[in-house]
Amino acid sequence: MPQGVGYGLPVELADRTERLNLDIDELSAVGRSLYALLGKFTGYRIAAVGWERADTWFDLDELRSDYADELAAGDLPGLVVSDDVYETLPGAKGFKTFEPGYQWIPYRGEKST
């Protein structure tokens, strides 16, 4: 997890670390760079880069059940899954090849809050 990087963090939640406040375009550039780095890795089954929901997608059963509607709508931008996981997601839409052996719903960049 990056430290000292944030977007709109309330002052009372900030720690004593010097912060680098990035705008939406800069956060999106960081996201794209992290996906480029992820494209060099293998051996994972599911991954996502992000500031909020990335940690909630690591349980495959939860992804299939709790996010079934989003999968059916192709509304989980940035989600990367291995081909074997992709084959177990019937009705999932919006996936394209990420790298050989992996599918993803393309990352669209960060959105302002």
Side-chain angles (χ1 to χ4, degrees):
M1 307 237 1
Q3 292 188 7
V5 178
Y7 175 76
L9 184 67
V11 174
E12 63 272 7
L13 296 179
D15 58 20
R16 298 178 196 268
T17 304
E18 184 178 336
R19 298 194 102 39
L20 175 61
N21 287 314
L22 303 179
D23 64 28
I24 293 300
D25 293 334
E26 292 167 325
L27 286 170
S28 296
V30 170
R32 285 188 291 278
S33 295
L34 289 170
Y35 277 107
L37 183 61
L38 180 62
K40 297 177 182 181
F41 297 117
T42 60
Y44 61 91
R45 299 187 73 211
I46 184 171
V49 168
W51 304 106
E52 294 178 17
R53 294 191 349 180
D55 64 335
T56 63
W57 289 340
F58 292 109
D59 182 282
L60 226 30
D61 292 330
E62 186 176 324
L63 175 67
R64 289 183 189 117
S65 61
D66 295 354
Y67 293 95
D69 291 341
E70 288 93 337
L71 285 169
D75 194 24
L76 291 174
L79 176 65
V80 181
V81 298
S82 62
D83 285 346
D84 67 304
V85 169
Y86 176 71
E87 292 170 7
T88 70
L89 301 174
K93 299 214 179 352
F95 281 89
K96 298 180 182 212
T97 299
F98 177 67
E99 290 292 334
Y102 294 91
Q103 304 295 315
W104 80 324
I105 299 174
Y107 175 67
R108 299 179 198 147
E110 299 300 314
K111 295 179 182 176
S112 62
T113 55

